[in-house]
């Protein structure tokens, strides 16, 4: 038998047919949809006189466009409201379960999938959102698609997709103080660049990864797209199975035992070959922050911004454009730079462990003057848990407010926009120009680093705040 | 929705020598609230094209009258970031039929192909030549030959082959649609589902 990677095993078992010199017809186990990238796809299949082929394998939520305050009121922005209403109509028409605005389990699509047990090992999952890679943390093949592809899946539960190449990134060793999985992934992206993973599907492996919780693993797989990769995945283990067990949609009783027989075999064979393999040591990883306008422009928080001349000639103009946008000088230190906004949330870092980490640092302290902070849970269930655990109280005592769930300032489609020229330390995934609002200047970091900035009003090393 | 056919195109091009042009630049998220595919062209590169008072920024290539044509030539890693197909729609709706770069992000490339927008990946050296020729003559013409998978700088005859998946090439040449193909596979899909 040929040794196979975990990725091969899942992919190959989902190929309905292969087009010679073309893509594979890949069967999709779960299709997640949201209000922004689905309306044109619904119109597309309706124009062909079709209904959604497998509505029971399709799950919908409203997340990108929704406000994070006063969710009981009608959405003020008429276009956003229309889009959310359109989703509701479409779901009703096609018989799709909708966790829409006002639903007690509403939330960001990549937070609720795992939370409800919809995401399971060995599955193929797609969504019209690039951060679908998040679900790979469970040992599934999950990737973002465009609206034409959403339409394909609606019409046939399949997608035409060329098989990507395979890369394995191994991280071994023990993470130091003040570090989280966000630092691991920002570190890797800074090493291989925002395009270093393009064309690949990445398996993350090694003792450091094995020691991470499911939520921390999700943060890593979530950002695999930020190095250009099609997706990232992690072989399921006891941490995975313990997380999945007992959730609303996870298999029960005899079905669970049956599933476990399959899931426990989901790992890369010893002799399997990858097209590319990289190794990193956890001991080399430090708190990271980005200084530029793509996620590959990250450095150790205590380092200085690189000099233009340290880069290849062809890249200097883009680098300088980026620094000009950020209003930063090459060679200057990140520590001590002024911060105006702090955003904790998104499908990258909007889960309960992230809120706990943030609360752990701000507990007993006060929000710095001049800081506006948006603490946005990833789902209604995360919000509920944060209240029940007393995290909201800790946040309130320190001068922070827990908002309602949604994608929020990660992409600023709703009112949560960072004003032009202002500096934001954000736990989200993209620091592109204007991503958090026109002219907004984003620095990506971990929840711990965000918390340290929130109480000091400037870029600060989170390890100084951890006992 | 079927795609427009593509065969051979001769055109001048618009140079955008910036690396890592992400889909948030191509079409900012605040314009993703539409429920139809049309009309995104006027929002293409919105924040690079217009200032906060919606006045055209003179220094941006799309506002520079000396550049024209239905080919956009951009720096490496074009289309990174969000999966929003609105990026491909916006470029196509604006009037571009081809994007040339030395490297494309995966999802963007698929989205482009699914909408009849041809991504042409060239070597870094060829890309540099394109920018250089354009700086000498803004009307510099290119020929994009899909059947031959070849891009040519007409003035000096310099050419390079480009890759495209055979299936996708056929789709573009004939205006075929993936969904029609998938629907024709229904029997096989139902057969596959029995094994689940």
């Amino acid at each position: 038998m040929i040794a196979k990677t975990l990725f091969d095993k899942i992919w190959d078992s989902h190929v309905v047919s292969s087009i010679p010199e073309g893509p594979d017809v890949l069967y999709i186990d779960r299709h997640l949809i949201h209000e922004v990238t689905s309306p044109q796809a619904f119109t597309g299949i309706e124009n062909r006189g079709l209904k959604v082929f497998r509505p029971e394998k399709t799950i919908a939520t409203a997340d990108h466009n929704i406000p994070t305050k006063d969710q009981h009121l009608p959405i003020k922005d008429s276009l956003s409201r229309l889009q959310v209403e359109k989703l509701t109509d479409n779901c009703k028409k096609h018989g799709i379960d909708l966790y829409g605005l006002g639903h007690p389990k509403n939330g960001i699509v990549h937070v609720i999938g795992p939370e409800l047990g919809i995401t399971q090992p060995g599955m193929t999952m797609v969504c019209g959102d690039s951060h679908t890679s998040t679900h790979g943390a469970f040992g599934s093949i999950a990737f973002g698609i465009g609206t034409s592809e959403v339409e394909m899946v609606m019409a046939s539960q399949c997608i035409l997709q060329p098989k990507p190449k395979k890369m394995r990134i191994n991280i071994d060793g023990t993470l130091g103080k003040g570090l989280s999985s966000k630092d691991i992934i920002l570190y890797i992206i800074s090493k291989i660049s925002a395009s270093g993973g393009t064309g690949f599907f990445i398996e993350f492996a090694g003792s450091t990864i094995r020691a991470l919780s499911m939520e921390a693993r999700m943060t890593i797989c979530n950002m695999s797209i930020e190095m250009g990769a099609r997706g990232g995945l992690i072989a399921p283990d006891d941490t995975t199975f313990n997380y999945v067990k007992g959730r609303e949609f996870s298999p029960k009783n005899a079905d669970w035992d049956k599933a476990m027989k399959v899931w426990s075999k989901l790992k890369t064979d010893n002799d399997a070959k990858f097209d590319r393999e990289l190794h990193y040591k956890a001991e080399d990883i430090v708190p990271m922050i980005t200084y530029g306008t793509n996620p590959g422009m990250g450095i150790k928080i205590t380092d200085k911004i690189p000099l233009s001349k340290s880069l290849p000639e062809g890249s200097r103009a883009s680098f300088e454009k980026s620094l000009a946008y950020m209003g930063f000088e090459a060679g200057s230190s990140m520590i001590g730079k002024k911060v105006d906004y702090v955003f904790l949330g998104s499908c990258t870092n909007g889960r309960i462990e992230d809120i706990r980490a943030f609360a752990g640092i701000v507990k007993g302290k006060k929000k710095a003057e001049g800081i506006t902070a948006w603490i946005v849970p990833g789902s209604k269930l995360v919000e509920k848990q944060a209240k029940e655990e007393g995290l909201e109280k800790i946040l309130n005592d320190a001068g922070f407010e827990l908002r309602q769930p949604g994608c929020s300032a990660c992409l600023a489609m709703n009112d949560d926009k960072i004003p032009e020229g202002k500096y934001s330390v954000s736990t989200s995934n993209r620091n592109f120009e204007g991503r958090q609002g026109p002219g907004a200047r984003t620095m990506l970091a971990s929840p711990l680093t965000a918390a340290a900035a929130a109480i000091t009003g400037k870029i600060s090393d989170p390890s100084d705040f951890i006992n | 929705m079927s795609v427009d056919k593509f065969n051979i195109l001769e055109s001048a091009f618009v140079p955008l020598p910036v690396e890592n042009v992400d889909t948030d630049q191509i079409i900012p998220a605040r314009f993703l609230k539409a429920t139809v595919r049309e009309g995104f062209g006027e929002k293409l590169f919105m924040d690079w094209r217009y200032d906060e008072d919606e006045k055209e920024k003179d220094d941006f290539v799309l506002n520079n009258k000396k550049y024209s044509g239905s080919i956009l030539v951009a720096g490496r890693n074009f289309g990174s970031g969000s999966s929003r197909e609105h990026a491909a729609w916006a470029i196509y709706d604006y009037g571009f039929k081809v994007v040339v770069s030395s490297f494309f992000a995966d999802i963007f490339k698929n989205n482009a192909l699914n909408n009849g927008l041809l991504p042409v990946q060239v070597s870094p050296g060829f890309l540099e030549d394109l920018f250089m020729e354009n700086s000498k003559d803004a009307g510099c013409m290119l020929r994009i030959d899909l059947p031959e998978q070849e891009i040519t700088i007409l003035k000096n005859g310099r050419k390079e082959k480009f890759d495209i998946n055979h299936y996708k090439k056929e789709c573009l040449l004939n205006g075929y649609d993936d969904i029609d193909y998938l629907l024709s596979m229904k029997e096989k899909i139902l057969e596959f589902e029995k094994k689940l």
Side-chain angles (χ1 to χ4, degrees), chain A residues 203-406:
Chain A
E203 179 173 347
F204 295 98
S207 63
T208 315
I209 299 291
R210 294 260 77 87
L212 295 174
S213 70
M214 281 319 292
E215 296 195 0
R217 292 178 190 184
M218 285 187 241
T219 303
I220 299 219
C221 290
N222 172 281
M223 286 192 72
S224 47
I225 179 72
E226 306 311 336
M227 48 185 129
R230 209 68 182 83
L233 82 173
I234 295 170
D237 57 13
D238 286 342
T239 305
T240 322
F241 307 139
N242 290 336
Y243 180 97
V244 174
K245 198 167 188 176
R247 291 183 187 265
E248 190 172 340
F249 290 96
S250 57
K252 308 278 172 347
N253 307 320
D255 287 342
W256 174 264
D257 298 335
K258 212 170 111 191
M260 277 299 291
K261 275 198 187 122
V262 179
W263 295 352
S264 54
K265 289 187 196 127
L266 290 173
K267 48 179 76 110
T268 291
D269 296 331
N270 285 336
D271 303 330
K273 292 269 182 298
F274 288 85
D275 299 290
R276 194 172 174 205
E277 188 141 24
L278 298 169
H279 296 268
Y280 297 105
K281 287 197 211 107
E283 287 75 14
D284 292 339
I285 299 173
V286 287
M288 297 289 293
I289 193 155
T290 64
Y291 60 88
T293 55
N294 75 61
M297 300 175 84
I299 47 171
K300 183 177 174 179
I301 198 165
T302 49
D303 270 355
K304 293 188 166 87
I305 295 173
L307 297 172
S308 186
K309 65 180 182 207
S310 68
L311 296 158
E313 210 167 317
S315 301
R316 287 179 199 167
S318 298
F319 175 83
E320 283 159 18
K321 180 178 186 297
S322 183
L323 286 198
Y325 179 86
M326 291 300 290
F328 287 159
E329 268 175 52
S332 66
S333 293
M334 287 307 288
I335 291 283
K337 283 202 190 309
K338 185 177 174 286
V339 177
D340 306 295
Y341 283 74
V342 169
F343 172 57
L344 179 83
S346 83
C347 57
T348 311
N349 280 123
R351 298 182 178 80
I352 195 69
E353 288 178 11
D354 302 313
I355 300 180
R356 278 186 205 138
F358 189 96
I361 286 199
V362 305
K363 186 176 183 173
K365 302 193 175 67
K366 286 284 172 211
K367 179 169 77 72
E369 232 170 273
I371 287 279
T372 304
W374 294 328
I375 318 288
V376 183
S379 71
K380 291 301 282 180
L381 291 179
V382 171
E383 180 191 11
K384 186 164 168 260
Q385 195 175 350
K387 289 180 179 176
E388 285 169 3
E389 283 186 16
L391 300 175
E392 187 183 37
K393 169 124 195 359
I394 294 172
L395 293 171
N396 291 347
D397 290 348
F400 298 93
E401 172 200 17
L402 188 67
R403 295 172 77 98
Q404 291 170 303

Side-chain angles (χ1 to χ4, degrees), chain A residues 412-433:
Chain A
M413 271 192 86
N414 68 357
D415 289 340
D416 305 344
K417 291 179 173 58
I418 310 291
E420 184 171 358
K422 296 292 182 191
Y423 288 99
S424 153
V425 172
S426 177
T427 65
S428 54
N429 40 59
R430 290 190 175 132
N431 50 353
F432 299 153
E433 285 184 29

Side-chain angles (χ1 to χ4, degrees), chain A residues 31-34 37-42 45 52 58 126-129 144-159, chain B residues 37 83 85 111 114 179:
Chain A
H31 186 198
L32 309 171
I33 61 171
H34 61 84
T37 57
S38 68
Q40 294 89 349
F42 277 112
I45 60 161
V52 170
T58 315
V126 293
C127 174
D129 186 282
I145 57 177
T147 298
S148 294
E149 295 169 314
V150 170
E151 194 180 329
M152 287 181 209
V153 183
M154 283 180 177
S156 67
Q157 202 59 32
C158 289
I159 190 170
Chain B
R37 283 172 183 253
S83 62
E85 192 162 314
N111 287 342
N114 284 336
I179 296 183

Side-chain angles (χ1 to χ4, degrees), chain B residues 37-106:
Chain B
R37 283 172 183 253
E38 295 75 26
F40 287 102
E42 56 189 69
K43 309 289 187 219
L44 175 68
F45 292 117
M46 190 70 181
D47 294 338
W48 286 355
R49 243 163 107 191
Y50 300 99
D51 63 19
E52 50 278 33
D53 303 322
E54 301 203 2
K55 263 183 50 199
E56 285 191 359
K57 293 182 185 174
D58 292 339
D59 59 349
F60 187 58
V61 285
L62 294 189
N63 298 330
N64 191 332
K65 299 285 179 287
K66 74 177 178 178
Y67 301 121
S68 65
S70 47
I71 302 172
L72 177 68
V73 178
R76 77 181 302 285
N77 198 27
F78 186 85
S80 57
S82 156
S83 62
R84 61 188 71 160
E85 192 162 314
H86 312 64
W89 298 339
I91 295 171
Y92 198 77
D93 190 49
Y94 183 86
F96 291 115
K97 304 279 182 244
V98 175
V99 184
V100 179
S101 177
S102 57
F103 199 81
F104 288 95
D106 281 334

Side-chain angles (χ1 to χ4, degrees), chain A residues 27 48 54 83 147-148 199, chain B residues 1 25 32 48 85 106 193:
Chain A
Y27 192 83
R48 291 167 196 264
R54 292 290 176 241
Q83 223 176 28
T147 298
S148 294
Chain B
M1 196 201 76
Q25 304 320 311
L32 306 186
W48 286 355
E85 192 162 314
D106 281 334
E193 283 186 326

Side-chain angles (χ1 to χ4, degrees), chain B residues 87-150:
Chain B
W89 298 339
I91 295 171
Y92 198 77
D93 190 49
Y94 183 86
F96 291 115
K97 304 279 182 244
V98 175
V99 184
V100 179
S101 177
S102 57
F103 199 81
F104 288 95
D106 281 334
I107 306 181
F108 176 81
K109 200 195 286 183
N110 279 354
N111 287 342
L113 288 166
N114 284 336
N115 286 280
L117 175 68
L118 178 66
V120 172
Q121 185 163 327
V122 296
S123 67
F126 195 85
L127 187 70
E128 262 176 52
D129 279 5
L130 288 176
F131 289 136
M132 202 178 66
E133 289 302 332
N134 189 274
S135 67
K136 288 190 268 178
D137 169 16
C140 168
M141 295 285 288
L142 296 182
R143 177 185 167 91
I144 310 288
D145 184 329
L146 179 58
E148 291 300 320
Q149 296 178 220
E150 209 165 66

Side-chain angles (χ1 to χ4, degrees), chain A residues 126-181:
Chain A
V126 293
C127 174
D129 186 282
S130 59
H131 293 109
T132 309
S133 56
T134 312
H135 307 268
F138 291 78
S140 63
I141 291 183
F143 54 91
I145 57 177
T147 298
S148 294
E149 295 169 314
V150 170
E151 194 180 329
M152 287 181 209
V153 183
M154 283 180 177
S156 67
Q157 202 59 32
C158 289
I159 190 170
L160 287 173
Q161 205 69 195
K163 192 175 181 179
K165 289 182 284 181
K166 290 152 291 179
M167 187 192 302
R168 181 161 60 188
I169 298 182
N170 305 277
I171 307 117
D172 285 291
T174 311
L175 274 184
K177 163 175 120 159
L179 289 166
S180 73
S181 67

